[in-house]
Structures are given as structure tokens and as C-alpha cells.
Amino acid sequence: MQQHKYGALKMFIDLHGHVNRMGTFLYGNALKEGAQIENMLFAKLLSLNSLNFDFGDCSFAEENMVARDWNDGLSRDGSSRVAIYKETLLPNCYTIEAGFHGSKRLNNLPPKYNKIKKSIEPEHILTNPHSKLYAGKPAVYTIEMYEDMGRVRFSIN
């Protein structure tokens, strides 16, 4: 909260791992009009820069802000994502979920253009869906894939 008080808090991310769902996706808050576009844009940018981030599985629904957990009955109203949003009104508050078992599908990534070299960058094993790592299908996540998703997150902000 201190960072928000000084205008330095720009985004809040709570990272989770799970065993029940495949893929990597996020939960965002349900916001009003223009703020919702900004809110969803982050998830879309992640999907355009990572083979393994699944925009289609992301949820920005209001019911995910108030739903009760079926195990303990606690409301998501107390989740860090929702609590930080309610306290700060910061639109970019997310819970990123990464499955332990790998991805459900692979994204088609646009070629990466290097402005300095003025050329298309060659595919890297982590960004090439035809590499032996993927063999054209979703894969069981490796440490390198988790690192790539983290790199993508910090390179677009």
C-alpha cells in the first residue's frame, strides 16, 4: 500500500500453481468500460508473446470476484487480487495460474522484429512450436518454459 500511496504501484500479480487445470491463464477483476479494456490488454499481450499463455482461459468475470471457494467456503473477496483492487482501484491486479502438468494448446506467435538490427529474430526453442520441445503439440512444462513466461511478463511492461 505504501507503493500505491507514492504513485509507484502500477501492477499487482499473485502467482499460483495448480494441479487440476492444464495451461497458464489469469484471473482479472471485472471493471467498468475503458478500465476493462486496459485490464484485458495485459492478458492479450501475454498470449501474443508466449506459446503457453492461454488468453481463452482467462476470466474477468464479476462472479470470480465474489464466488465462494467450495472447499472452505471463503469468498474470493478476500483474495489479494480483489483486495488490492478494492483498496487502490488499480486496474491491473491479477492472479496468474500455471498448471503443473503443462499446456492445453499452443499460441501462434507473430515474428519478433528487432528494431536495432532491422530484421526478424530467429526462432528460439521456447518460442518455436515445431521444436523438439513441443513437436507441434502442447507440452509438459519445463523450468525453461516457466522462465520464458516470466520473461514475457516483464518484457511487455
Side-chain angles (χ1 to χ4, degrees):
M1 290 304 152
Q2 184 178 19
Q3 295 301 313
H4 176 68
K5 182 174 138 184
Y6 296 117
L9 184 63
K10 304 298 181 200
M11 181 177 282
F12 174 81
I13 297 176
D14 185 15
L15 301 172
H16 287 210
H18 57 89
V19 296
N20 295 330
R21 290 185 65 182
M22 299 282 285
T24 300
F25 58 94
L26 64 75
Y27 292 109
N29 295 315
L31 308 178
K32 303 285 186 235
E33 300 152 15
Q36 187 66 354
I37 293 169
E38 179 185 341
N39 188 22
M40 294 175 77
L41 181 61
F42 174 68
K44 187 62 177 175
L45 288 172
L46 285 175
S47 73
L48 291 172
N49 287 281
S50 173
L51 280 175
N52 296 292
F53 187 84
D54 194 343
F55 181 75
D57 276 355
C58 294
S59 176
F60 301 90
E62 188 168 354
E63 40 293 354
N64 279 325
M65 294 176 72
V66 295
R68 297 212 171 266
D69 186 287
W70 54 296
N71 287 325
D72 58 20
L74 296 176
S75 167
R76 289 198 188 125
D77 201 31
S79 73
S80 58
R81 166 181 54 88
V82 176
I84 294 291
Y85 170 70
K86 286 185 174 183
E87 184 68 26
T88 65
L89 298 179
L90 180 70
N92 300 107
C93 296
Y94 306 101
T95 302
I96 296 181
E97 301 274 353
F100 292 138
H101 302 296
S103 58
K104 286 178 16 180
R105 62 183 72 91
L106 296 176
N107 293 322
N108 290 314
L109 300 182
K112 303 264 189 287
Y113 182 74
N114 185 319
K115 290 180 185 179
I116 296 168
K117 294 180 181 177
K118 297 183 180 179
S119 64
I120 303 285
E121 291 183 2
E123 288 285 355
H124 185 275
I125 190 169
L126 291 172
T127 60
N128 183 353
H130 305 293
S131 72
K132 63 181 179 180
L133 200 57
Y134 298 104
K137 64 183 186 321
V140 174
Y141 289 150
T142 64
I143 290 171
E144 293 81 14
M145 289 175 185
Y146 285 119
E147 288 173 349
D148 180 59
M149 286 183 268
R151 178 197 54 75
V152 166
R153 179 350 225 142
F154 288 104
S155 68
I156 63 172
N157 211 18

